[in-house]
Amino acid sequence: MVKKLALFTISLGIFCSSFGKANAVDIFDRNITLEEVETTQKGWCDALLKISETYHEKGFKVAKRLSSKIIDIAYGYDLGPVAFNPTWTFKEKNFRSTKRGALSYFVGRDPMFKQDIGFAIGSPESDRSKWINCKIENSIIQLLGGTANTMGNVTFTAENGFTSTVDKTWTFLKTYEGNIKIILHESATPFR
């Protein structure tokens, strides 16, 4: 019986292959690579600098539209709530599990999140000097199949010389479409 089943399976395979199926091999692989993690992190920094530049050159409305598009691409809000705890938040509004909360954090001016001054716009001083550099230094990267965790420091430099270094932890998820999305973003000022 087993031999007959094996012969039937082989025959079926030969029969089906004669209908012009290409010899290509499909590979299903959702494993995140080190290169993908580092590219995604660099893309996050580049996007932050672009938001800041856009705000200073084209104004709030254009920067907000750009931020919204970037959040759609970079964060997994389309998949569900994101565990996002940004640096410049406090009290009852410090966690941003929705896109609206993330957008407010990046550009500010949302009455639901009155504390937000718009981190991506620039440095926190009154002149809001634009960000000109964003440097990531990972302390650890864990590649865990379809997800990856990173922990380290990110240093931001503004045009006026203001510099800030934060502790940052990210979790990235590789979607079935092959996109890398941030599903956890924890940021904090180091204890001094």
Side-chain angles (χ1 to χ4, degrees):
M1 178 68 173
V2 173
K3 286 183 182 179
K4 287 182 181 179
L5 184 59
L7 286 172
F8 175 74
T9 304
I10 292 169
S11 299
L12 184 62
I14 292 170
F15 176 74
C16 289
S17 66
S18 66
F19 279 102
K21 173 142 172 83
N23 290 331
V25 176
D26 292 328
I27 299 174
F28 178 76
D29 182 4
R30 286 188 51 221
N31 291 331
I32 294 179
T33 66
L34 177 61
E35 180 183 9
E36 287 173 320
V37 168
E38 291 174 337
T39 298
T40 301
Q41 288 179 319
K42 182 181 181 320
W44 186 91
C45 273
D46 291 347
L48 176 81
L49 299 178
K50 189 65 178 173
I51 292 167
S52 186
E53 177 185 321
T54 300
Y55 172 79
H56 287 272
E57 293 179 5
K58 298 180 180 176
F60 174 78
K61 287 182 179 181
V62 180
K64 183 177 180 181
R65 280 195 304 272
L66 176 63
S67 294
S68 180
K69 290 177 187 175
I70 288 169
I71 289 168
D72 287 343
I73 293 167
Y75 289 84
Y77 289 107
D78 58 323
L79 307 172
V82 172
F84 184 13
N85 183 13
T87 313
W88 294 354
T89 60
F90 55 90
K91 294 187 180 177
E92 71 280 353
K93 301 284 186 175
N94 58 334
F95 301 111
R96 304 303 172 87
S97 59
T98 66
K99 179 184 174 183
R100 179 178 178 176
L103 183 59
S104 178
Y105 181 72
F106 276 91
V107 294
R109 299 191 191 177
D110 185 322
M112 189 171 159
F113 301 94
K114 293 179 183 177
Q115 67 181 344
D116 291 347
I117 62 170
F119 167 75
I121 288 171
S123 64
E125 303 97 2
S126 59
D127 71 345
R128 303 307 310 271
S129 181
K130 76 176 177 179
W131 298 122
I132 59 168
N133 193 34
C134 176
K135 180 182 176 188
I136 296 173
E137 294 180 69
N138 289 307
S139 177
I140 187 168
I141 298 175
Q142 300 170 326
L143 303 177
L144 305 166
T147 63
N149 299 320
T150 65
M151 182 179 282
N153 295 115
V154 180
T155 301
F156 307 97
T157 306
E159 196 170 50
N160 68 358
F162 174 88
T163 300
S164 177
T165 298
V166 298
D167 297 337
K168 194 164 296 285
T169 300
W170 275 308
T171 297
F172 302 97
L173 172 73
K174 189 170 192 175
T175 68
Y176 288 107
E177 296 77 27
N179 301 315
I180 309 296
K181 298 274 194 164
I182 298 167
I183 58 169
L184 180 144
H185 176 163
E186 167 71 29
S187 187
T189 303
F191 180 73
R192 295 175 193 209

